[in-house]
Amino acid sequence: MSMEIIYLVFLVFSGGSLDAIHMESWHNYANGPKYLLNRPCEEAIEDPSFQKHLRQRLSTGQKGRLVCKTMSEMQTMKQLVGYSGVEILPAKADSKKNAALVLEGSLIHKPYEKGRRSVESYLGQEFFLKKPDGTTVALYPGESVSREQLLSKKGQKLRLKAKFVDRTPKPEPGVPMSYPMGPDGGPLPRVGYEVLEFLTN
């Protein structure tokens, strides 16, 4: 007796209506944290790291459900949608992260070769602020403060206003990923602070 193929099914809902169904045979699935892919599908979808990997696909107002089923268990759409599974909710927006805050420290410039494929080029981080406590955060130019303005402040002690930004790309379903991989199996986080203005001491 041959064993049936197990499928990973990701159901996406919006306002109670089904928006999309993403389905792939589990033995061919190659996304998500690599250490989970050799585990049974039912076990992998319970892992928070695997759920985080799929949560990135959800848009505002959407929620998802993960189930592992054979083809014979998915004979009708009503049957598939009716299955209970692991619920995936979109990440809550952190208003504190988006609020402007004041940073102080010494501006460090670390140029990188932009024409080459490298982790540095992917991160796009060449400006850093070394704070009084010794920690370092990445700074990004933006609409208010240009790269040239940041470059002119190299080596200086600064007091500036900035906001947290997350520029980590979100993988598209079915599109091969060509980014450096982070510990959760998704793209390496690309985060820092966009400079809004320089403040006088």
Side-chain angles (χ1 to χ4, degrees), residues 2 17 22 31 42 46 57 64-65 73 78 88 114 117 138 155 175 188 193:
S2 60
S17 301
H22 305 286
N31 297 317
E42 294 84 353
E46 295 285 350
R57 298 185 182 183
R65 183 186 304 153
E73 293 175 308
K78 183 178 180 181
I88 307 293
K114 296 183 179 180
R117 285 192 174 185
V175 178
L188 186 68
Y193 291 87

Side-chain angles (χ1 to χ4, degrees), residues 10-193:
F10 186 35
L11 304 162
V12 179
F13 299 89
S14 179
S17 301
L18 182 66
D19 277 359
I21 299 176
H22 305 286
M23 184 170 62
E24 189 172 343
S25 60
W26 180 244
H27 74 278
N28 286 332
Y29 196 78
N31 297 317
K34 301 303 180 186
Y35 67 91
L36 290 173
L37 299 184
N38 60 354
R39 297 187 189 178
C41 180
E42 294 84 353
E43 182 180 337
I45 65 175
E46 295 285 350
D47 191 284
S49 295
F50 191 82
Q51 296 168 19
K52 180 181 178 182
H53 144 69
L54 287 168
R55 184 175 288 115
Q56 296 174 345
R57 298 185 182 183
L58 297 177
S59 302
T60 303
Q62 290 184 325
K63 64 179 182 179
R65 183 186 304 153
L66 287 171
V67 296
C68 299
K69 297 295 177 184
T70 63
M71 190 59 71
S72 63
E73 293 175 308
M74 301 184 290
Q75 292 181 358
T76 66
M77 183 72 69
K78 183 178 180 181
Q79 184 182 26
L80 179 58
V81 173
Y83 283 121
S84 60
V86 176
E87 300 294 325
I88 307 293
L89 299 177
K92 293 182 179 179
D94 190 342
S95 58
K96 292 183 180 179
K97 283 187 176 181
N98 294 324
L101 69 162
V102 175
L103 299 175
E104 295 184 48
S106 299
L107 184 64
I108 300 170
H109 180 232
K110 294 182 179 180
Y112 60 88
E113 193 171 342
K114 296 183 179 180
R116 296 183 59 186
R117 285 192 174 185
S118 64
V119 173
E120 291 77 15
S121 179
Y122 160 79
L123 292 173
Q125 297 171 348
E126 58 177 322
F127 297 101
F128 300 87
L129 192 72
K130 187 173 183 179
K131 299 194 290 184
D133 63 1
T135 60
T136 302
V137 296
L139 298 179
Y140 289 108
E143 293 183 3
S144 303
V145 176
S146 68
R147 177 182 179 275
E148 288 70 26
Q149 287 175 297
L150 279 172
L151 199 56
S152 70
K153 303 287 187 180
K154 180 176 66 173
Q156 297 182 26
K157 289 186 177 180
L158 301 175
R159 186 167 177 265
L160 51 85
K161 184 181 291 186
K163 66 176 180 179
F164 178 85
V165 290
D166 185 347
R167 297 180 175 177
T168 308
K170 293 185 177 182
E172 294 292 332
V175 178
M177 190 178 76
S178 58
Y179 309 109
M181 189 176 294
D184 65 350
L188 186 68
R190 189 162 61 187
V191 298
Y193 291 87

